[in-house]
Amino acid sequence: MVNPLFDSLLGIHSGKNTPFLKLTDQRVITHGKFLEISAQVANALVQHGLVAGDRIAVQVSKSPEALALFAACVQAGLVLVPLNTAYTLAELAYFIENSGASLIICDETNEPELTNLAQTFGARVMTLNAEGSGTLIEVARTLPSSFLTVERNPDDLAALLYTSGTTGRSKGAMLTHNNLLSNAKTLASEWRFDKTDVLLHALPIFHTHGLFVAINVMLVCGGSIVFLPKFDLDEIIRQLPNVSSMMGVPTFYTRLLDDERLTRDLTKHIRLFVSGSAPLLVETYFDFEARTGHRILERYGMTETNMNTSNPYEGERRAGTVGLPLPGVDLKIMKPNSDKIVIPGQIGQIEVRGPNVFKGYWQMPEKTAAELRNNGFFITGDLGKMDDDGYVYIIGRNKDLIISGGYNIYPKEIECVLDSQPSVMESAVIGVPDVNFGETVIGLIVPKEGETPNIEEIKSALAASLAKFKHPREIHIIDELPRNTMGKVQKNILRNIYKSSLS
Ligand code: MCA
Ligand code: AMP
């Protein structure tokens, strides 16, 4: 095979008339047609001067053409750098500079400011709009609908996905062709996907869950996708009778449960509901089962590792667990900051190894060395335990991270902005329980002596630098931060004080 990821994901469906994408406006794009559009896009990218290994930074709305862009990158050996549509210009500047992207693809409304930015870094800009128009597609349409697939080795890069860190600087996780392919094949097989399946897709396609889990599984199995632009409760309720499966973050399930239209009858054609990206509460699992008769299958993964564990398709799905290590994945529970395994049943730090685990952080050898051991095990930063049957429980995190509606938010990044405000001496950002998003962000600031921080000014500074989903829901002014004898801020005390502040 010249390009295993392309051949296994896309090439095998060439010319097939089976539907791939079913859109809400009744349009249907077959697997064969999708391949043709991808080939045209690949031709446009190559005509633009891109060669294998080049990075393409992509901040666009969810559309069939945006998916075709991913497929085109795979076929042309280019490295996709997908970016959250909520990112601000300040955030984008870092990703573009750090990745060394030679092409930026964005919505035409952002073109002027991104063109300025691109010039600074010697990159160029093309546009792709939500409805599939834009300069990229205008060029692609004039080009042949076949493309000579570029040869790739399993270890070559397919994508760089940025994930924040406890230091506040994002790191580009290098995902190889084999990382993506091995995980897609494993998941399709473990979850029994085949070409008769229809997946309801309402996740964004700039993260692992919506792109590599959902889309790649459906490409590998040759099934169809009801492709929604975003999560829309009414549309999901309308579409549930037309599909065989859905993948979502826990917020999808809590929002569905809040709607009385969710019934056993509405979901009677579904064979599988999958949840991941954030903890699914045991209560949500049982409420969903009581209402629909379905046991949600929970799985656990990371940007750096794709999926690591899954509850079984057949066999017992245990509430409150993320299931068993997937075939090919080694998982160990280690004593934090050591190379010793904990006594069975005890809590420790989760480490994983397998074909799913990334190659390292882009141009950050020290960070790679700190998290990826020489023996191939990746230190996840998640705390967990394993029961006698091998089921994994995620108990907490050894990293300062908030997960809001499935999006990861690193407090350090927000604290850096708060600390840089002239009136602020220091700050702490914490996550507190939230019925809608699971967790939400609270900011606590200690003023400099004699200063009275202007909260509105601080909010404006946050808005200028950070995506909306990272903004603290509330900012409180406090006298001092609680610290332990080592001087470390005791966020658990703050979380306890503010846990009910939003209810
Ligand atoms: C939207 N907003 C949010 C979030 N989403 N704020 C905090 N957290 C969020 N997740 C903001 C909007 O900017 C808006 O602000 C306000 O909340 C209300 O928006 P709403 O309409 O309620 O939100 P929505 O558009 O319905 O989105 C909620 C959502 C969405 C459906 C839960 O966030 C989503 O699709 N999340 C999935 C994320 C995901 O794919 N994660 C996977 C990462 P305003 O009204 O003030 O303008 S991959 C991963 O984690 C690993 C690998 C894994 O294991 O999968
Ligand atoms: P990301 O960096 O976006 O890939 O998010 C990965 C993190 O999400 C993991 O390290 C976990 O902390 C969390 N996560 C993913 N799936 C689950 C799950 N099913 N239960 C609990 N946490 C999860």
Side-chain angles (χ1 to χ4, degrees):
M1 278 201 247
V2 286
N3 181 325
L5 181 59
F6 176 78
D7 293 346
S8 305
L9 249 53
L10 295 131
I12 47 171
H13 306 302
S14 146
K16 291 254 176 77
N17 286 326
T18 46
F20 174 44
L21 301 177
K22 299 177 174 186
L23 310 177
T24 43
D25 63 6
Q26 308 300 322
R27 267 187 309 148
V28 173
I29 298 174
T30 63
H31 279 274
K33 183 68 187 166
F34 181 70
L35 193 68
E36 287 175 17
I37 303 171
S38 315
Q40 288 183 306
V41 175
N43 278 312
L45 297 173
V46 169
Q47 194 187 66
H48 210 70
L50 294 176
V51 294
D54 282 351
R55 276 83 56 210
I56 304 188
V58 177
Q59 191 197 37
V60 298
S61 298
K62 188 174 171 184
S63 70
E65 291 76 12
L67 264 195
L69 177 56
F70 162 57
C73 287
V74 174
Q75 192 171 17
L78 303 167
V79 181
L80 180 79
V81 186
L83 298 166
N84 194 320
T85 46
Y87 287 148
T88 61
L89 199 61
E91 289 166 308
L92 293 177
Y94 173 78
F95 300 126
I96 292 164
E97 181 177 21
N98 186 269
S99 67
S102 40
L103 181 65
I104 301 164
I105 300 184
C106 64
D107 192 283
E108 71 188 15
T109 51
N110 300 328
E111 189 184 7
E113 47 185 19
L114 273 168
T115 302
N116 287 336
L117 193 64
Q119 276 161 1
T120 325
F121 303 121
R124 282 184 290 170
V125 175
M126 292 183 97
T127 58
L128 175 57
N129 305 319
E131 68 287 358
S133 58
T135 54
L136 174 70
I137 295 300
E138 278 160 27
V139 174
R141 279 209 190 101
T142 65
L143 297 171
S145 56
S146 66
F147 178 84
L148 191 62
T149 304
V150 172
E151 198 162 327
R152 289 283 84 186
N153 288 316
D155 202 34
D156 285 332
L157 290 195
L160 266 190
L161 260 64
Y162 278 88
T163 160
S164 292
T166 41
T167 55
R169 277 274 100 162
S170 286
K171 302 166 285 186
M174 297 191 282
L175 293 159
T176 67
H177 277 236
N178 193 47
N179 292 151
L180 303 185
L181 180 57
S182 61
N183 216 229
K185 282 183 167 170
T186 302
L187 297 177
S189 154
E190 287 296 297
W191 297 341
R192 310 287 185 267
F193 274 93
D194 67 28
K195 60 179 187 305
T196 63
D197 270 300
V198 184
L199 178 81
L200 184 50
H201 193 298
L203 288 159
I205 55 167
F206 42 69
H207 279 312
T208 296
H209 195 164
L211 188 58
F212 302 143
V213 181
I215 299 294
N216 286 359
V217 162
M218 296 318 289
L219 282 169
V220 154
C221 76
S224 312
I225 295 173
V226 171
F227 197 64
L228 307 187
K230 66 186 285 276
F231 182 92
D232 171 340
L233 190 58
D234 290 336
E235 194 57 36
I236 293 211
I237 300 267
R238 202 170 302 132
Q239 295 290 352
L240 278 173
N242 306 327
V243 301
S244 66
S245 52
M246 185 179 86
M247 296 181 192
V249 296
T251 300
F252 281 26
Y253 295 103
T254 50
R255 286 188 183 179
L256 276 166
L257 278 166
D258 278 344
D259 194 302
E260 59 189 21
R261 292 172 293 175
L262 178 77
T263 60
R264 200 169 271 262
D265 196 48
L266 185 82
T267 58
K268 67 183 177 206
H269 299 295
I270 311 267
R271 67 167 189 87
L272 182 62
F273 285 101
V274 180
S275 176
S277 307
L280 181 75
L281 297 181
V282 172
E283 184 191 336
T284 310
Y285 176 93
F286 284 119
D287 285 352
F288 202 83
E289 185 182 14
R291 187 89 78 81
T292 66
H294 289 281
R295 294 185 157 212
I296 300 170
L297 182 151
E298 186 172 7
R299 67 15 168 222
Y300 155 65
M302 284 186 77
T303 301
E304 288 92 333
T305 65
N306 297 285
M307 299 304 104
N308 297 310
T309 71
S310 171
N311 271 280
Y313 185 74
E314 284 112 17
E316 190 192 348
R317 295 181 196 165
R318 262 181 215 175
T321 84
V322 292
L324 307 150
L326 285 163
V329 177
D330 295 325
L331 186 146
K332 295 194 295 193
I333 313 277
M334 307 288 286
K335 283 189 182 158
N337 311 318
S338 86
D339 52 7
K340 298 205 169 34
I341 296 180
V342 298
I343 297 165
Q346 289 207 336
I347 297 171
Q349 183 147 228
I350 299 175
E351 296 191 12
V352 291
R353 178 174 69 184
N356 52 314
V357 174
F358 76 142
K359 205 171 164 171
Y361 294 113
W362 176 253
Q363 294 179 341
M364 292 186 178
E366 307 82 25
K367 291 209 185 292
T368 303
E371 294 181 38
L372 196 54
R373 293 181 188 265
N374 288 336
N375 62 7
F377 274 93
F378 175 66
I379 304 168
T380 62
D382 289 313
L383 296 174
K385 64 175 185 180
M386 198 185 256
D387 70 15
D388 291 344
D389 300 320
Y391 283 76
V392 176
Y393 293 70
I394 310 247
I395 305 292
R397 299 169 200 141
N398 205 16
K399 52 191 173 189
D400 196 9
L401 163 71
I402 300 166
I403 305 184
S404 166
Y407 286 144
N408 283 9
I409 300 169
Y410 282 83
K412 187 74 193 167
E413 202 181 1
I414 305 164
E415 288 161 3
C416 286
V417 179
L418 294 176
D419 292 348
S420 69
Q421 301 309 302
S423 59
V424 174
M425 184 169 76
E426 58 178 357
S427 66
V429 168
I430 54 168
V432 297
D434 177 75
V435 281
N436 185 14
F437 291 128
E439 280 185 285
T440 196
V441 183
I442 300 270
L444 304 159
I445 52 177
V446 178
K448 281 185 184 151
E449 204 165 330
E451 296 279 355
T452 308
N454 180 327
I455 299 293
E456 288 316 308
E457 274 174 25
I458 291 177
K459 285 184 176 168
S460 303
L462 287 163
S465 44
L466 297 176
K468 184 101 185 238
F469 67 89
K470 301 177 188 173
H471 296 185
R473 184 88 63 86
E474 286 179 355
I475 297 177
H476 298 275
I477 299 174
I478 58 175
D479 292 338
E480 60 178 351
L481 298 176
R483 292 182 188 275
N484 64 15
T485 47
M486 311 287 287
K488 193 169 182 278
V489 177
Q490 292 175 297
K491 289 200 172 178
N492 51 336
I493 295 181
L494 293 171
R495 279 192 283 268
N496 212 19
I497 298 171
Y498 289 95
K499 67 180 180 218
S500 311
S501 83
L502 294 170
S503 54

